[in-house]
Amino acid sequence: MAGGWAEAIRAGDFARAWAINDRDLLETAHPPKHTGPRHLQRIWRGEDLKDKHVLVRCYHGLGDTIQFLRFMRALREIARSVTLWCQPELLPLAAGATGVDRAIPLHDGAPEVGFEVDIEIMEVPHAIRARRDQVEMRVPYLALPPAAVPPLRGEQGLALGLVWKVGDWDKRREVPAVLLRHVAGPGVALYSLQRGASSEELAALGALEISTPDIVALGHRLRQLDLLICVDTMVAHLAGALGCEAWVLLHADCDWRWPQSGAHSFWYPSVRLFRQRRPGDWGHVVAEVRDALEVQLGYCRRSGNA
């Protein structure tokens, strides 16, 4: 099922993807709801969502929640109310998302809220039979609450943010920091958004530290930058959801949400993709990024923006 479903999603054939999901619901014996590791739980079992009080459980990563918040508007058009039980870090963003009536912090216990139907956030597009226009977001779908974020300091020129590490889920996504120093050049000021970056990494890059654990502040930082270059992690989804320009570096066997070829994704119009040709080889990816950056810098100079 997984292979065919991923192929359908990558191709934008959502009708086929939802048909595969339907067959899985009918033919696969799933354990009782709310048992086992949360990220493996199947919550929605085909219940009608129309005119119901719906609890949306966010049991995957921060990036997954950010990506699938786009479907809350369409869900709310069906449901009587939508309560989002989401990661505490995302509450300021989630509470203001279109379609969300209430956002409450996720924890290890049971939700302290009444509901009639529950669903995991990544199951929502299947449940609502999301159409292509509900997946594609031509404009940013998240708004940032106000936050006091100091201006960037550093050299004049193109403000370029960097993120090169990921969590423990899939370390193949990481790029050695030492490689990214090669993207810098005249007219580029580097800023690190990498949480937990070492002083040695920052020194090797020549980047100023501007990382923050505050998601709202991070969003404002992204808007201060001219460009983000990052690996496949939460920051890529946040940049895409806010409409910030981001170049995302993908390993050869990239995740199902990215196409298998090409530089663009229907999930995020402001994101450009750079991918490995051979597993583990980031050298040529960084070289392509450097070439693309030189083109962009040339355009900025000709237009008087740098």
Side-chain angles (χ1 to χ4, degrees), residues 205-220:
L205 288 168
L208 285 174
E209 167 70 80
I210 60 168
S211 68
T212 172
D214 185 314
I215 300 292
V216 172
L218 177 60
H220 284 283

Side-chain angles (χ1 to χ4, degrees), residues 72-89:
M72 296 303 99
R73 178 201 294 266
L75 175 60
R76 185 62 179 83
E77 291 173 356
I78 299 169
R80 177 169 296 185
S81 70
V82 172
T83 297
L84 199 70
W85 197 31
C86 77
Q87 299 92 334
E89 305 97 311

